[in-house]
């Protein structure tokens, strides 16, 4: 069976870029985007994990006045990447899956400026919603990464990350690992860097997205750039970057 990324369903979900030109890279000097630029400054953001840790301990309704759909990609640098899709970050994720790719691979794709993740299911279940399917073939920027199984429940590590990010609507940085003992005092020298563990630092990228439902068998999630604010309706990519969204995620069930 041919992959949907070569078929009309995938092309129909793609958002056109400005003036009909396909944009494969967003220039760092063009003022577009913002989340990926923050991710490239990761070494400078590790101190921000203290703020994230505080955010996770309190009720932060004021920080999330609306309930825009959010996408979170997270994982240890030498571990696999997890993908979580939330309608409300204070509730369990709508969709949670560990992708068959390493965080280091995702970081290289992010450095190119544009990431398109395509997940394809051929289960053909009429009783389940698209986001409830279990087995997915995963593609990143057109290259097949492997297969993954959707999680019904988050693991302890995943719950730790989602709890810390409960009050964060968008951003990128390094998170502290699950507490294994007394927290490190602020300003103490030496020791293990914040967020470091046996698999390296625990990094994350969270973005607000526009959710586009093509049919019961296809959905797309397009990152809303910070410069565009809450306006996700600019389908021509005219705001900020003048091109395709930095992050796009496609879910398709083969018929």
């Amino acid at each position: 069976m041919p992959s949907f990324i070569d078929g009309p369903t995938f092309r129909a979900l793609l958002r056109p870029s400005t003036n009909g030109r396909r944009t494969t890279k967003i220039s760092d000097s063009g003022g577009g985007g913002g989340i990926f630029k923050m991710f490239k400054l990761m070494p400078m953001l590790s101190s921000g994990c203290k703020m994230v840790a505080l955010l996770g301990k309190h009720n932060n309704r004021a920080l999330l006045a609306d309930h825009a759909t959010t996408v979170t990609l997270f994982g240890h640098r030498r571990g696999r990447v997890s993908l979580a899709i939330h309608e409300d970050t204070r509730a369990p994720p709508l969709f949670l899956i560990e992708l068959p790719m390493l965080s280091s691979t995702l970081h290289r794709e992010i450095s190119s400026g544009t990431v398109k993740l395509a997940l394809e299911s051929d289960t053909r279940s009429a009783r389940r919603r698209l986001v409830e399917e279990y087995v997915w073939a995963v593609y990143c920027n057109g290259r097949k990464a492997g297969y993954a199984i959707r999680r019904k429940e988050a693991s302890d590590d995943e719950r730790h990350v989602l709890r810390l990010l409960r009050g964060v609507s968008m951003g990128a940085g390094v998170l502290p690992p699950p507490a294994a003992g007394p927290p490190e005092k602020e300003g103490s020298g030496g020791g293990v860097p914040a967020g470091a563990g046996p698999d390296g630092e625990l990094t994350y990228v969270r973005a607000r997205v526009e959710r586009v439902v093509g049919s019961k068998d296809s959905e797309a999630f397009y990152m809303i750039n910070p410069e565009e604010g809450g306006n996700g309706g600019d389908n021509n990519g005219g705001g900020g970057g003048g091109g395709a969204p930095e992050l796009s995620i496609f879910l398709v069930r083969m018929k």
Side-chain angles (χ1 to χ4, degrees):
M1 179 181 295
S3 170
F4 83 94
I5 63 174
D6 299 319
T9 303
F10 180 71
R11 290 194 294 270
L13 285 172
L14 285 173
R15 170 182 290 175
S17 59
T18 304
N19 298 326
R21 294 190 301 270
R22 291 185 62 188
T23 302
T24 58
K25 182 173 182 179
I26 296 177
S27 171
D28 288 341
S29 60
I35 301 299
F36 281 11
K37 287 183 181 179
M38 292 173 62
F39 193 84
K40 294 172 186 176
L41 297 175
M42 192 74 73
M44 300 171 60
L45 294 173
S46 58
S47 60
C49 67
K50 296 183 178 65
M51 177 179 290
V52 174
L54 291 174
L55 287 172
K57 295 179 181 178
H58 302 286
N59 188 357
N60 296 285
R61 293 181 180 178
L63 293 177
L64 299 174
D66 58 9
H67 296 287
T69 303
T70 63
V71 164
T72 312
L73 292 163
F74 60 94
H76 291 277
R77 285 188 184 272
R78 291 189 292 274
R80 293 184 181 272
V81 181
S82 292
L83 164 66
I85 300 176
H86 281 89
E87 289 183 329
D88 183 346
T89 56
R90 294 179 297 271
L94 174 73
F95 184 82
L96 176 64
I97 195 169
E98 185 181 73
L99 302 177
M101 56 188 300
L102 298 175
S103 295
S104 57
T105 302
L106 176 66
H107 296 175
R108 287 196 298 269
E109 298 295 339
I110 286 177
S111 66
S112 73
T114 302
V115 173
K116 290 185 175 69
L117 288 174
L119 281 70
E120 170 189 318
S121 174
D122 60 0
T123 308
R124 304 185 188 89
S125 173
R127 296 185 178 182
R128 287 196 291 264
R129 294 187 302 158
L130 177 62
V131 294
E132 294 174 342
E133 295 293 356
Y134 286 103
V135 182
W136 297 87
V138 179
Y139 299 81
C140 181
N141 286 346
R143 294 182 293 275
K144 189 170 184 178
Y147 290 89
I149 298 177
R150 178 182 67 85
R151 294 189 187 277
K152 295 182 66 174
E153 295 183 359
S155 66
D156 290 342
D157 286 344
E158 289 166 339
R159 280 194 291 268
H160 166 74
V161 172
L162 299 178
R163 182 172 61 251
L164 290 181
L165 296 177
R166 184 172 50 191
V168 178
S169 60
M170 65 178 67
V174 179
L175 295 171
E184 183 180 354
K185 294 183 179 180
E186 184 175 356
S188 60
V192 179
D199 292 323
E201 292 179 324
L202 179 58
T203 63
Y204 79 95
V205 175
R206 169 166 283 182
R208 295 155 62 94
V209 295
E210 176 189 0
R211 184 179 183 183
V212 178
V213 178
S215 70
K216 65 182 178 65
D217 295 314
S218 62
E219 294 187 22
F221 302 85
Y222 297 103
M223 191 180 88
I224 301 172
N225 288 331
E227 289 88 347
E228 298 175 8
N231 180 17
D234 185 0
N235 287 340
N236 290 326
E246 289 178 300
L247 174 64
S248 304
I249 298 173
F250 306 92
L251 303 181
V252 174
R253 180 165 48 197
M254 302 299 291
K255 299 179 180 179

